[in-house]
Amino acid sequence: MASTSSNETVTQREQSIVLEDVKLMYTIFADVPPKTKLLMLELHRDNHMEYLLRGLQQLGPSFCALDANRPWICYWILHSIALLGESIDARLEDRTIDFLSRCQDPDGGYGGGPGQMPHLATTYAAVNSLITLGDEKSLSSIDRDKIYRFLLSMKDPNGAFRMHDAGEMDVRACYTAISVASVLNILDDELVRDVGNYILSCQTYEGGISGEPGSEAHGGYTFCGLATMILINEVDRLDLATLLDWVVFRQGVEGGFQGRTNKLVDGCYSFWQGGIFALLQRFHTIIGESMTLLDAGQANCADSPQTTVESDISDGEESLHGTSSSGDEACAIQQGVNFGNVDRKSIEGRAEREPLFNSIALQRYLLLCSQDPGGGLKDKPRKGRDHYHTCYCLSGLSVSQHCWSKDEDSSPLPRVVLGPYFNLLEPINPIHNVVLERYREAQEFFARS
């Protein structure tokens, strides 16, 4: 148990406990033979599938509190299964489509359950679930005309969106609305109008993006804000240099990400923060035009800590000291790299640089500290597994495995996948967080329908 001081805050005490738990796990890992290391790093696919399928078919009484989140539970489970390269049987698929259809409001949008008020968050979850199922029956069950009218009715005169009728207005609402409109091919100028102004007003002095103007920068909202600005072709309006500055220092000494400054590591931010890097890295203009500045500044940053993939894997352990960003990226931040205009079409492009975060350290945290041997993934040691963290931990694991690939259709080299190559997950479209193949199938379907 970590030592405590009477002058420590609650967060400091909790951080000490987390560090001790992670250090113990990494120490054990460092001291075992190589074959045991490989076993410890194995993704327990069969156990995860058993846990996910059981949850999709029936949940216990304790889940009553999530009655208004049932499309989310469908998405968390279905997306996790798709990331594992698996699918559900036809009978269960039909039941899922039928349930989500009953969540679809007669006036458009999806509620948290049959007969519940339509809500942007559950609309996003339902649409992503149906795209993940992927066949014509699933995709054709979405009433795009009514969803468009629902999205338009949620738009506020200031350009932002409300989550539901008379509901809260925040960056999450903007993202879910724009993401749904984009993936369904119904995004137009009316929906886009002034959204960028609202997102811009939420970027804080730290560089991250808050949920609403005047609040604290947050990983989930930063992802949502950045993804929204990409989808509406206004990402160049953000201060991307300070945004990158903020997010690189959210990777903690444990290897995972924290959601806010001075907060604890949490497995779900493997995607919410890791996904930000995936978005930035796919842009030719960001990666290409800034390279000269990055390389020119590297000579002035000789003292910046750097870690290579090869040394990470061969050492078999991750230091619990120092910064997580590699030297040239951190140096680019110090020198204020000027990011040029980018657009959402570039998301299908090539990554031409090493990842802007320590991908091996993130994989190690997820496999050793977030994975429940009995199936499912969790926030951190001492926490319980749940479907939410299973979804976003696996999404983050996929991002960290595929972030080295120069082409999103190429498989990563074995050296960048921690543990056995069997651990490799399906690649995702990081803007919408759906498996890439399913996203492409949906784009083709909605382009012709």
Side-chain angles (χ1 to χ4, degrees):
M1 178 66 69
S3 60
T4 60
S5 165
S6 58
N7 295 325
E8 284 185 325
T9 66
V10 172
T11 301
Q12 287 173 325
R13 288 196 295 272
E14 291 178 347
Q15 175 64 22
S16 296
I17 293 171
V18 171
L19 284 174
E20 286 297 322
D21 289 343
V22 173
K23 181 180 179 182
L24 175 61
M25 181 61 71
Y26 289 172
T27 300
I28 292 171
F29 175 76
D31 290 340
V32 298
K35 288 185 178 180
T36 306
K37 277 188 172 69
L38 204 60
L39 289 173
M40 291 179 68
L41 291 171
E42 185 175 317
L43 185 68
H44 304 298
R45 287 175 171 269
D46 291 343
N47 292 347
H48 296 324
M49 277 297 297
E50 181 181 349
Y51 169 68
L52 293 164
L53 287 172
R54 188 167 62 248
L56 190 60
Q57 294 178 78
Q58 185 172 358
L59 295 171
S62 63
F63 284 86
C64 289
L66 294 176
D67 180 64
N69 291 279
R70 282 181 281 173
W72 275 114
I73 297 173
C74 290
Y75 168 63
W76 297 331
I77 294 175
L78 291 171
H79 181 50
S80 298
I81 290 172
L83 282 165
L84 292 166
E86 303 289 346
S87 58
I88 59 176
D89 63 44
R91 182 184 62 85
L92 187 53
E93 181 176 330
D94 286 343
R95 287 174 54 196
T96 305
I97 295 170
D98 175 67
F99 167 73
L100 291 172
S101 295
R102 288 186 287 115
C103 294
Q104 193 164 198
D105 190 83
D107 294 325
Y110 291 79
Q116 295 186 25
M117 175 189 295
H119 192 286
L120 280 176
T122 47
T123 297
Y124 167 89
V127 167
N128 274 11
S129 296
L130 293 164
I131 287 173
T132 299
L133 289 174
D135 61 19
E136 185 168 349
K137 179 180 180 181
S138 174
L139 298 176
S140 61
S141 71
I142 303 170
D143 192 325
R144 293 194 297 160
D145 291 337
K146 288 184 177 179
I147 283 185
Y148 176 80
R149 292 196 290 272
F150 168 64
L151 296 179
L152 203 56
S153 71
M154 294 299 102
K155 191 165 179 66
D156 191 82
N158 74 355
F161 288 85
R162 295 189 179 276
M163 293 303 300
H164 57 86
D165 185 26
E168 69 273 26
M169 180 168 53
D170 56 28
V171 169
R172 177 185 51 144
C174 296
Y175 167 69
T176 49
I178 297 298
S179 174
V180 165
S182 174
V183 78
L184 296 182
N185 197 27
I186 56 175
L187 186 61
D188 65 4
D189 291 342
E190 185 63 22
L191 290 173
V192 168
R193 180 181 51 82
D194 290 332
V195 172
N197 293 338
Y198 183 79
I199 302 292
L200 199 62
S201 73
C202 295
Q203 186 167 24
T204 77
Y205 72 94
E206 288 187 277
I209 297 172
S210 61
E212 57 186 16
S215 295
E216 182 182 8
H218 181 282
Y221 289 121
T222 301
F223 172 87
C224 288
L226 177 63
T228 302
M229 294 295 267
I230 292 168
L231 290 171
I232 66 175
N233 292 327
E234 296 183 25
V235 71
D236 58 295
R237 299 180 64 194
L238 290 170
D239 185 342
L240 291 173
T242 60
L243 188 154
L244 183 57
D245 190 1
W246 178 79
V247 73
V248 294
F249 289 106
R250 301 286 71 76
Q251 187 169 22
V253 295
E254 306 90 344
F257 283 96
Q258 60 181 186
R260 292 176 286 159
T261 304
N262 295 325
K263 294 297 181 180
L264 304 183
V265 66
D266 186 332
C268 73
Y269 290 109
S270 302
F271 174 74
W272 295 121
Q273 303 285 33
I276 293 171
F277 295 109
L279 296 181
L280 292 175
Q281 196 162 338
R282 287 295 174 184
F283 296 118
H284 285 292
T285 18
I286 288 180
I287 302 302
E289 292 182 5
S290 63
M291 268 317 88
T292 303
L293 289 172
L294 286 172
D295 293 337
Q298 190 168 0
N300 297 323
C301 297
D303 294 331
S304 297
Q306 300 187 50
T307 306
T308 64
V309 175
E310 290 83 354
S311 65
D312 257 346
I313 295 177
S314 62
D315 289 346
E317 57 182 310
E318 178 64 29
S319 171
L320 289 179
H321 307 284
T323 182
S324 310
S325 57
S326 64
D328 48 350
E329 283 83 17
C331 183
I333 295 161
Q334 296 164 14
Q335 298 194 13
V337 170
N338 180 27
F339 294 97
N341 292 336
V342 294
D343 60 72
R344 65 192 176 96
K345 293 180 181 178
S346 303
I347 201 67
E348 298 290 340
R350 293 172 178 268
E352 298 175 357
R353 287 291 288 177
E354 295 181 1
L356 301 176
F357 67 103
N358 192 323
S359 61
I360 295 297
L362 179 60
Q363 291 179 62
R364 182 173 294 113
Y365 177 80
L366 290 169
L367 293 168
L368 295 180
C369 301
S370 287
Q371 184 171 210
D372 189 313
L377 289 97
K378 54 191 177 180
D379 169 349
K380 59 177 68 68
R382 304 195 187 203
K383 295 285 187 178
R385 64 185 180 178
D386 59 67
H387 300 108
Y388 168 85
H389 282 91
T390 300
C391 170
Y392 290 108
C393 286
L394 290 177
S395 297
L397 186 59
S398 173
V399 165
S400 63
Q401 292 171 340
H402 290 274
C403 62
W404 284 82
S405 300
K406 289 186 177 295
D407 190 298
E408 59 187 5
D409 290 314
S410 62
S411 297
L413 294 172
R415 67 185 179 87
V416 303
V417 176
L418 190 62
Y421 202 68
F422 171 80
N423 285 355
L424 183 63
L425 298 173
E426 295 296 311
I428 62 169
N429 173 287
I431 283 192
H432 305 285
N433 197 19
V434 292
V435 166
L436 185 59
E437 181 182 0
R438 296 290 181 265
Y439 166 76
R440 289 174 171 169
E441 291 170 355
Q443 286 287 283
E444 182 180 347
F445 179 86
F446 294 122
R448 68 172 186 263
S449 61

